[in-house]
Amino acid sequence: MTNTFPEISISTERLVLRPLDEDDVPALAEMMNDELVAAWTSVPQPFTEDGARRWISHHAPRQRTSGQGLDLAVTEFLTQRLVGVVQLTKTNWHVRATELSYIVAPWARGEGYASEAALATAQWLFRDQGLERIELRTAADNTASQQVAQKIGCISEGVLRNACIARTRTEDGGWAEVRTDFIVWSLLPEDLEGVTEQLAEAGGFTAFSDWN
């Protein structure tokens, strides 16, 4: 089995996950400049269209071809609108493990898109790529991201104390870095058993207004 991810498209009932392309530049830049994205991720601020273009044309292809990871645009099936990004990083092909993260655009929150995209990615990784472990890390105060992890069947494994750098607004309108904890979650193939049925019983992907 190859040690790189293929260029793929993953479809769900509402979404299409595909490689980022040049047409995504404006929406990607706008999404990454959102206050919550800035607070909970390490995305440079301000995030320019040039930065989005470099991500799409250089960083994402390099991640995939090196075998380290994969960046996927999350788009609405009906409108083709960019509503988020799913990233795989720190992939270890010997251990058959990768780290998964997700961001949802402010204009698409409250629809359950993060959990739908994350679950579809996990199913593809286990079924088609032969992975045996997916890891997620959520900042201790990012309860929305934690809800996504719980919703798709992840198990909380513990806390990495003081391991996360988040950001908060300063009085002058800038950003200041603050330390917090990471909660570590894992997902194994057997954890997905019954997840679809449980989601249906809980009201589907929109039962929680997850975002990032």
Side-chain angles (χ1 to χ4, degrees):
M1 190 173 289
T2 181
N3 286 346
T4 61
F5 291 111
E7 290 192 79
I8 51 90
S9 176
I10 304 170
S11 296
T12 71
E13 183 177 345
R14 301 184 298 167
L15 303 172
V16 176
L17 284 66
R18 56 158 177 78
L20 290 157
D21 63 36
E22 180 71 20
D23 291 339
D24 296 320
V25 166
L28 183 62
E30 184 179 355
M31 175 169 60
M32 293 303 170
N33 280 307
D34 174 70
E35 291 279 311
L36 290 178
V37 174
W40 294 120
T41 75
S42 59
V43 173
Q45 295 295 320
F47 193 82
T48 65
E49 289 197 2
D50 283 342
R53 196 169 285 108
R54 285 194 298 272
W55 181 356
I56 292 168
S57 62
H58 297 293
H59 174 75
R62 185 168 61 246
Q63 281 286 98
R64 190 187 71 79
T65 57
S66 69
Q68 296 178 43
L70 184 68
D71 295 349
L72 294 172
V74 181
T75 64
E76 286 179 330
F77 176 75
L78 292 177
T79 66
Q80 321 250 315
R81 179 178 65 157
L82 183 72
V83 296
V85 175
V86 166
Q87 288 185 281
L88 304 175
T89 57
K90 303 174 185 174
T91 306
N92 185 320
W93 291 98
H94 178 67
V95 178
R96 313 303 296 180
T98 193
E99 184 175 323
L100 184 149
S101 59
Y102 34 79
I103 293 173
V104 174
W107 54 84
R109 290 176 190 151
E111 299 295 333
Y113 285 155
S115 51
E116 186 169 344
L119 180 59
T121 303
Q123 291 170 330
W124 171 75
L125 287 170
F126 291 146
R127 181 185 64 241
D128 295 350
Q129 299 302 300
L131 266 67
E132 296 291 339
R133 173 183 168 89
I134 298 171
E135 185 172 302
L136 287 77
R137 297 186 179 194
T138 63
D141 295 324
N142 192 347
T143 55
S145 190
Q146 292 160 30
Q147 286 178 341
V148 174
Q150 292 172 324
K151 199 170 174 182
I152 66 172
C154 293
I155 304 299
S156 175
E157 292 187 332
V159 176
L160 297 177
R161 296 185 302 161
N162 239 18
C164 175
I165 300 292
R167 286 181 283 208
T168 185
R169 278 291 188 189
T170 59
E171 290 184 1
D172 62 4
W175 289 100
E177 293 186 342
V178 292
R179 279 196 170 273
T180 186
D181 299 338
F182 263 137
I183 300 177
V184 180
W185 307 79
S186 67
L187 190 66
L188 306 184
E190 56 266 31
D191 296 331
L192 291 184
E193 296 177 8
V195 168
T196 302
E197 291 80 4
Q198 291 168 15
L199 278 168
E201 291 175 2
F205 286 106
T206 58
F208 299 105
S209 56
D210 53 51
W211 73 275
N212 167 63

